[in-house]
Amino acid sequence: MTAPAAPAHDIVLEVLEGCAPFARAEAQQLGEANLVGPTEVRLRTADLTGVKSLRRVVAAYLVLRIPARRPTELLETSVQQEIAESIALIRRSAPKPRFTGVRLRAAGADTAPMRRLESEIAAGADLPVQEDGDLVVRVRKAKDLLVSGRSALAPALPPGPAWELLIRLTPRPLATRAWRTVNYPGAVNAAIAASALDILDVGAEDSLLDMTCGSGTFLIEQLHEAVPERIVGVDLSAEALAAASAHQRAARRRGRIDWLQGDVLTMPLEGGFTRLISNPPWGTLLGEHETNEELLRALLGRAEELAAPSARLAILTHEIGRMESVIAGGTGSWSLLQEHRFFQKGHHPRLFVFERTQG
Ligand SMILES: C[S@@+](CC[C@H](N)C(=O)[O-])C[C@H]1O[C@@H](n2cnc3c(N)ncnc32)[C@H](O)[C@@H]1O
C-alpha cells in the first residue's frame, strides 16, 4: 500500500527583479511554478523543506486565501483557526524554525482592524507582537492570477473577492544565508549571486576564478551546485579573505577553494580558467569612480591572460556607464554575449557576460 500523497500548499516566492526566471526554474523542481510578476513566483508543492532550501528567492511564504470583502472578516474564529493551523504546520516543517515574535506587513498596518488582526494571530501562535518580529505575515487583497490565460490558483480555491495571508516560512529571509557570519561592505546579495552563476553556466568540469572575491559569495554559492574542478578566489584585502574562509567553514559544503591574497592584475597565477567572474568595487563605497573605470578595463585584459580558449567571463557592476565606455573602447578577444539587469533596493547592478572568441 502506498502512503497517501501529502497535500500541496500554495507558496509565494518573493524574488528580486532579474532573478525571477532562475527562481522559477529552481522552484519547478518542487512543483508547478508560475511567474506572476517581476518579483513574484507562485508554487504548488507539498515539500516545505525543499522550499526552504531555494537559493534564488528572497523569501518564501505559505499562502492562505480567505474569501472575504473586508479585513475585519479575517478576525472570524474559523479564519483564525486556519491561520493558527498554518503556523503550526510551518513550525513542524524541517528544519524547525524558532520564531520570537509576530510582525504584520500590510497596507494600513496601523489601522485598528489590522492591529487587532496582528494581536489575534500572535495570540494564536502564542508569541508577542514585535516591531521586528520574525514571524512575518503579509496581508493583502487577493488578485485573480492568470498565467497563459488560465487561473494560477489551486483548483480548490474559490474565485471572487478574497484576501491573502502570506506567512513567511523562515525567521530570516532565505537570501540571508546562515553561512554569512561576517558583514562585508559591498557583498553581493546571495540570490543575485546564485542567478548570476546560472547565467555564467558553471559546471563540474569547469575551473572557476573570482577575480575580486570579497567575502566569497559567488564561490560559496557555487559549492551548493556542481562543484568545479578548480576554484580560486583572489582579493587584495586580508579582511575579505578572512571573511570568505569563515563563510566557507560555516557553509560546510564539499569542495576546495584556494583563497589567495594579492592584486589579481599583477600576482602570479596559473591560468586556464574556463569561467571567470568579478564584482569589482563600485561607487564611492569601495574605490573611486575614475579608477574603477581603469580597473574594469584592466580586469578584462587580465581575464584574457588567465582564461582558457572559449572561456566565459561575467562582470557584475553598478558602474554601467563606465562599463559601456570600456566596451566601446574594445574588449580584445572577449565578445559580449549578453547583459542582464538586476534590481535590488534602489540599486541596479548589471551582469555583463563575455565569451572568448579568439586565441
Ligand atoms: C564589491 S567587493 C566584492 C564583493 C564580493 N562579491 C562579495 O560578495 O563579498 C570588491 C572587492 O574587490 C577587491 N579588489 C579591488 N581591486 C582588486 C584587485 N586589483 N585585485 C584583487 N581584488 C581587488 C576589493 O578588495 C573588494 O573586496
Side-chain angles (χ1 to χ4, degrees):
M1 219 171 79
T2 50
H9 309 290
D10 267 308
I11 303 291
V12 158
L13 303 175
E14 192 178 300
V15 299
L16 294 175
E17 265 187 75
C19 294
F22 311 103
R24 180 188 179 215
E26 187 183 23
Q28 263 174 330
Q29 294 165 19
L30 301 175
E32 187 187 343
N34 290 300
L35 290 183
V36 294
T39 58
E40 190 167 312
V41 174
R42 301 279 293 215
L43 165 67
R44 270 193 71 68
T45 182
D47 184 0
L48 293 186
T49 300
V51 172
K52 292 186 208 180
S53 67
L54 294 173
R55 312 192 69 76
R56 289 144 186 91
V57 313
V58 173
Y61 301 81
L62 183 69
V63 185
L64 294 183
R65 185 180 165 100
I66 315 285
R69 286 187 184 278
R70 282 172 298 277
T72 43
E73 292 168 53
L74 304 176
L75 294 165
E76 285 172 13
T77 312
S78 59
V79 178
Q80 288 303 314
Q81 236 161 19
E82 202 181 336
I83 298 170
E85 279 163 19
S86 298
I87 292 175
L89 173 80
I90 289 172
R91 280 173 149 166
R92 283 196 306 272
S93 68
K96 285 187 182 169
R98 292 174 66 90
F99 296 107
T100 57
V102 169
R103 173 164 45 121
L104 198 81
R105 274 172 48 196
D110 284 335
T111 59
M114 286 296 181
R115 283 211 178 270
R116 180 128 178 254
L117 179 60
E118 186 177 45
S119 36
E120 292 290 330
I121 294 173
D126 203 13
L127 288 170
V129 168
Q130 280 174 348
E131 220 178 307
D132 58 351
D134 54 8
L135 179 51
V136 174
V137 181
R138 288 170 56 192
V139 183
R140 64 185 190 187
K141 252 191 189 148
K143 283 187 253 156
D144 280 333
L145 300 170
L146 288 178
V147 174
S148 316
R150 67 185 181 89
S151 173
L153 293 174
L157 292 176
W163 283 71
E164 279 185 344
L165 278 104
L166 276 59
I167 310 170
R168 198 168 76 189
L169 295 183
T170 49
R172 299 203 304 169
L174 293 175
T176 306
R177 303 289 197 243
W179 55 253
R180 195 180 286 291
T181 52
V182 183
N183 179 17
Y184 187 69
V188 65
N189 175 285
I192 292 183
S195 303
L197 289 161
D198 285 345
I199 298 173
L200 187 59
D201 188 20
V202 185
E205 68 295 344
D206 280 313
S207 52
L208 173 65
L209 169 66
D210 185 341
M211 303 176 80
T212 53
C213 68
S215 62
T217 314
F218 288 115
L219 300 185
I220 291 159
E221 283 302 308
Q222 188 59 43
L223 292 186
H224 293 80
E225 306 290 333
V227 178
E229 275 175 14
R230 180 180 174 213
I231 315 177
V232 178
V234 176
D235 203 285
L236 277 177
S237 147
E239 198 191 326
L241 293 166
S245 308
H247 288 159
Q248 187 188 356
R249 278 194 300 279
R252 304 174 70 160
R253 303 295 299 186
R254 190 180 61 81
R256 171 183 159 165
I257 304 177
D258 291 325
W259 302 109
L260 305 178
Q261 191 187 350
D263 183 341
V264 74
L265 302 176
T266 53
M267 71 190 284
L269 191 57
E270 195 190 321
F273 292 98
T274 53
R275 295 288 183 269
L276 302 92
I277 195 158
S278 173
N279 167 216
W282 49 274
T284 50
L285 177 64
L286 296 157
E288 295 297 329
H289 283 283
E290 288 70 22
T291 54
N292 286 351
E293 183 165 332
E294 282 161 35
L295 178 61
L296 285 169
R297 191 171 295 113
L299 282 169
L300 276 175
R302 179 63 169 149
E304 220 174 321
E305 292 168 9
L306 295 171
S310 316
R312 284 192 183 186
L313 164 69
I315 297 194
L316 182 71
T317 179
H318 294 65
E319 306 269 14
I320 315 300
R322 283 166 210 282
M323 188 69 206
E324 281 170 347
S325 112
V326 168
I327 292 169
T331 54
S333 62
W334 294 115
S335 306
L336 184 63
L337 277 184
Q338 64 162 306
E339 292 180 31
H340 187 89
R341 292 159 199 236
F342 294 100
F343 184 84
Q344 184 202 2
K345 289 188 188 152
H347 292 299
H348 300 76
R350 196 178 295 183
L351 189 76
F352 293 82
V353 184
F354 301 87
E355 188 166 49
R356 195 166 181 189
T357 44
Q358 321 143 14

